[in-house]
Amino acid sequence: MFFAFVFPTLLFGQNGKFKVTLDAGHGGKDWGASYNGHVEKNVSLNVVLKVGKILESTPGFEVVYTRKSDVFIELIERSRIANRSNSHIFVSLHCNANPNAAAFGTETYVMGMTKLASNLSVAKKENEVIEMEKDYKETYQGFDLNDMGAIIIQEQYLENSIALAAKIQNRFIDEVGRKSRGVKQAPYLVLNQTFMPRVLIEMGFISNPTEGAYLDSEEGQTNLARAIANAIISYKKEYYGDGSVPPADDKPSEKIAEPVVKTAADEKPAEPVVQKNDTPADVKKGVVFKVQISASGRKLETVPSNFKGLSPISVTNDGGTLYKYMYGETSDYDTAKKNLADAKAKGYTSAFIVAYRDGKKIQYP
């Protein structure tokens, strides 16, 4: 069994800035994918530095880098850097590759299990870098590259991660005109060990001659960096507003948005509905409150033993592939707040209250 690593959260001064850890994939002896003279480790670093420059020039942002030069950084150390810095989000940049040179387009991954062979293949290629690390069998004890189902999924920040990923993909369409392959889930080690909303961006296929040349060009890297930075800025504004932000140990757990990922044919992104904190006690007729405690790509039996003893549990997937688990059901808001406190006491620290009418999620009030 593969045990998740746990790192203590360090206490930092509250400077009111939104802290972003940027991770340039690969580096040093790990070249990543290399086709037609285009090298992934160089592209990812160049774009990270450009994203960082934009964010650092934007009021209210602080940037942490896992690397700023061509050096080899272990996967676990990338996660440790983000965790030690107590960042609000983690963004890892990579380039995709495929034996089929015709494959192209961008995709952004969040942590999760998948049965899709294509998603598993991409994750396996990125995870294989651990074999370059000294004593990796001890560091990742019990982890098998051929059996990634053994990874323990950290699902606490899944919905925030999906919201960030959706913004990135939408910006790629709107601002850069790239083909979007969507938001996907896969078991990346670097994401699993990072305890905050986190995404891994595949900026395009370096194995595609045309897209590879674009990724390795000054124009392409500048355009992609601007789109990524704008998505991060938009995420911060939506979840934390325009002013100062609380430290990262005070997560916006009750500000989870339902992300909308556009297709290339869409003209404008739909505005996500944001759950508010200031729900009044005068409950309108027909409104039912539940407490969302987790979300997962896996469907679990709704028995108390799967949810730390909480009962009753209900589940919905809104017609998609993400299962959302709810605790309790009441028309009384004060009771809902008590259920929320119970859920957090059980360890579901990012739980939040949602409102339904006639079986449909609504914005309330």
Side-chain angles (χ1 to χ4, degrees):
M1 183 176 182
F2 179 68
F3 292 94
F5 294 84
V6 178
F7 306 103
T9 300
L10 300 185
L11 298 178
F12 286 79
Q14 185 173 350
N15 61 9
K17 291 188 177 182
F18 186 77
K19 190 177 294 185
V20 181
T21 292
L22 296 177
D23 173 46
H26 308 281
K29 62 184 178 181
D30 174 19
W31 283 38
S34 179
Y35 287 81
N36 305 311
H38 310 305
V39 181
E40 181 180 1
K41 68 172 184 176
N42 298 333
V43 173
S44 63
L45 179 60
N46 290 341
V47 178
V48 155
L49 294 177
K50 290 178 183 294
V51 173
K53 185 176 181 180
I54 295 171
L55 294 179
E56 287 171 337
S57 65
T58 303
F61 282 85
E62 180 178 345
V63 179
V64 175
Y65 300 87
T66 59
R67 70 181 183 99
K68 297 184 72 174
S69 60
D70 186 20
V71 293
F72 178 76
I73 306 292
E74 296 182 351
L75 282 187
I76 195 67
E77 180 58 21
R78 296 170 189 267
S79 298
R80 286 171 175 162
I81 290 170
N83 294 329
R84 284 196 300 261
S85 69
N86 207 21
S87 290
H88 291 86
I89 61 172
F90 174 84
V91 180
S92 184
L93 271 60
H94 293 257
C95 298
N96 220 332
N98 194 295
N100 178 8
F104 73 102
T106 67
E107 52 196 26
T108 300
Y109 283 87
V110 300
M111 184 63 204
M113 296 308 299
T114 178
K115 294 182 180 179
L116 293 177
S118 58
N119 292 11
L120 285 171
S121 176
V122 175
K124 184 178 179 181
K125 283 188 295 184
E126 300 295 355
N127 290 343
E128 282 175 347
V129 68
I130 66 173
E131 294 181 336
M132 295 184 178
E133 301 177 14
K134 183 181 179 181
D135 300 326
Y136 78 91
K137 290 184 178 179
E138 294 181 11
T139 302
Y140 307 94
Q141 187 175 7
F143 173 66
D144 184 354
L145 282 167
N146 296 311
D147 181 20
M148 290 187 290
I151 294 180
I152 295 177
I153 306 299
Q154 303 292 339
E155 295 172 332
Q156 184 175 358
Y157 308 112
L158 182 58
E159 289 203 28
N160 288 87
S161 300
I162 293 172
L164 174 59
K167 286 182 177 293
I168 292 168
Q169 287 302 119
N170 288 341
R171 294 281 178 169
F172 282 156
I173 295 171
D174 286 343
E175 300 181 10
V176 196
R178 308 309 296 171
K179 175 188 175 182
S180 173
R181 297 165 64 95
V183 173
K184 302 181 178 181
Q185 285 186 294
Y188 288 94
L189 275 175
V190 72
L191 297 184
N192 189 52
Q193 302 306 318
T194 309
F195 304 115
M196 62 198 65
R198 67 275 200 209
V199 298
L200 186 147
I201 305 170
E202 297 284 3
M203 298 179 287
F205 283 81
I206 205 167
S207 52
N208 180 298
T210 302
E211 192 161 56
Y214 180 80
L215 290 169
D216 210 7
S217 69
E218 177 67 22
E219 177 187 6
Q221 292 172 6
T222 298
N223 291 342
L224 291 167
R226 185 180 299 113
I228 294 167
N230 286 343
I232 293 172
I233 293 169
S234 174
Y235 176 90
K236 184 263 181 185
K237 182 177 182 180
E238 180 173 328
Y239 286 90
Y240 293 89
D242 291 320
S244 62
V245 301
D249 55 357
D250 185 11
K251 298 289 192 297
S253 60
E254 296 187 29
K255 297 183 180 179
I256 303 296
E258 294 293 334
V260 177
V261 184
K262 300 198 309 179
T263 64
D266 293 328
E267 293 183 0
K268 295 181 179 180
E271 291 296 325
V273 176
V274 180
Q275 194 71 32
K276 295 186 177 181
N277 293 332
D278 55 350
T279 306
D282 57 330
V283 180
K284 293 182 179 179
K285 184 178 180 180
V287 176
V288 172
F289 297 105
K290 300 182 180 182
V291 175
Q292 183 168 323
I293 58 174
S294 66
S296 172
R298 297 171 293 170
K299 188 173 183 179
L300 303 174
E301 289 188 51
T302 55
V303 294
S305 59
N306 283 338
F307 299 93
K308 303 180 181 181
L310 292 177
S311 179
I313 299 293
S314 57
V315 60
T316 178
N317 69 350
D318 299 332
T321 59
L322 186 66
Y323 296 96
K324 301 174 184 179
Y325 296 94
M326 312 288 177
Y327 165 53
E329 180 175 330
T330 179
S331 60
D332 180 65
Y333 188 65
D334 288 333
T335 300
K337 289 193 293 185
K338 181 180 182 301
N339 290 343
L340 176 62
D342 291 344
K344 290 189 174 184
K346 289 285 189 177
Y348 294 103
T349 56
S350 287
F352 56 97
I353 296 173
V354 292
Y356 288 87
R357 179 184 284 118
D358 298 327
K360 294 183 179 180
K361 188 175 180 180
I362 62 170
Q363 182 178 5
Y364 195 93

